Amino acid sequence: TVVIITVVIITVVIITVVVKKEMNNIYIVILNIHMSNLFVILGYKLKKKSILSNILIKRLETCIKKYKKGDFIIVSGGNTGKMKHTEAYMMKKYLMEKGNIPEFFIVKENKSLSTKENIKYTKNILKKTSNKKLLSLLRKTHKTHKTRKTSKNNIVFISQKIHLERVKKILNNNSFYNSLNCQFCSAH
């Protein structure tokens, strides 16, 4: 099924999003967007009964503090401990309940079991958008009115400082991310 959702943001920017359900996963195809950030929150092992760890809550709270209307979020984390829910599911639930972030701005990546897989499957989500506009907005430079301009749009990876160092190394070995404007935000 395909659902078209139109959102008018305070700055009178219109974002049109098509949500398409495929094989129990939801992928977002962005048709027309003016955003400032795409946050990627990297998962962390859940406690018993699918309870969020303090480390993961810090990552989510960091995102909530940085989030502005028009930003998108990818929550990345599978079921690393044979729990009832995936890390991505629990993170999305937390962001919606505690951060009042609308569901359609949060995309779940719920297959990854490691940092390398977080990066790999997040890339797959970005590629599945099949939308060159989104990727061009996230590139380090993009053409605007026949000029080259530095992008103000970022992919912001959120994790703890020591973990972000490993993320940077993984990203450096991935040509897909090399052309994107990747930023890193340490959760405290």
Side-chain angles (χ1 to χ4, degrees), residues 145-163:
H145 303 291
K146 299 182 182 179
T147 62
R148 290 181 66 79
K149 183 179 178 182
T150 302
S151 176
K152 292 182 181 175
N153 306 300
N154 303 304
I155 295 181
V156 181
F157 290 88
I158 299 176
S159 191
Q160 272 62 28
K161 186 176 180 179
I162 192 161
H163 188 225

Side-chain angles (χ1 to χ4, degrees), residues 118-128 174 176-177:
N118 289 138
I119 304 304
K120 175 183 173 182
Y121 296 134
T122 295
K123 176 177 84 172
N124 292 347
I125 288 172
L126 290 172
K127 284 186 168 185
K128 281 188 180 188
N174 192 315
F176 176 79
Y177 287 101

Side-chain angles (χ1 to χ4, degrees), residues 16-130:
T16 307
V17 179
V18 174
V19 178
K20 185 176 180 183
K21 187 169 183 172
E22 293 178 7
M23 297 165 42
N24 296 327
N25 292 318
I26 295 177
Y27 300 101
I28 290 189
V29 180
I30 300 167
L31 301 175
N32 184 15
I33 181 169
H34 300 282
M35 66 174 202
S36 52
N37 291 308
L38 169 66
F39 293 101
V40 178
I41 306 173
L42 302 170
Y44 191 85
K45 187 177 177 181
L46 298 173
K47 294 179 182 180
K48 291 180 182 178
K49 298 184 182 179
S50 298
I51 295 173
L52 296 169
S53 67
N54 290 336
I55 288 174
L56 197 46
I57 289 172
K58 288 178 184 179
R59 293 177 189 181
L60 295 165
E61 286 296 326
T62 298
C63 183
I64 290 169
K65 287 176 190 170
K66 302 264 182 200
Y67 179 83
K68 294 181 182 132
K69 290 188 181 204
D71 292 340
F72 277 83
I73 302 168
I74 296 176
V75 288
S76 181
N79 195 340
T80 59
K82 309 280 190 232
M83 300 291 171
K84 182 177 179 180
H85 298 291
T86 64
E87 294 167 9
Y89 173 86
M90 295 305 294
M91 288 189 282
K92 182 174 182 173
K93 183 179 175 188
Y94 186 94
L95 291 170
M96 290 168 48
E97 290 175 2
K98 304 285 187 194
N100 294 313
I101 298 171
E103 180 176 8
F104 47 83
F105 285 107
I106 308 167
V107 180
K108 288 188 302 183
E109 179 288 294
N110 56 11
K111 295 179 183 175
S112 60
L113 301 176
S114 68
T115 303
K116 283 185 181 180
E117 288 182 357
N118 289 138
I119 304 304
K120 175 183 173 182
Y121 296 134
T122 295
K123 176 177 84 172
N124 292 347
I125 288 172
L126 290 172
K127 284 186 168 185
K128 281 188 180 188
T129 63
S130 301

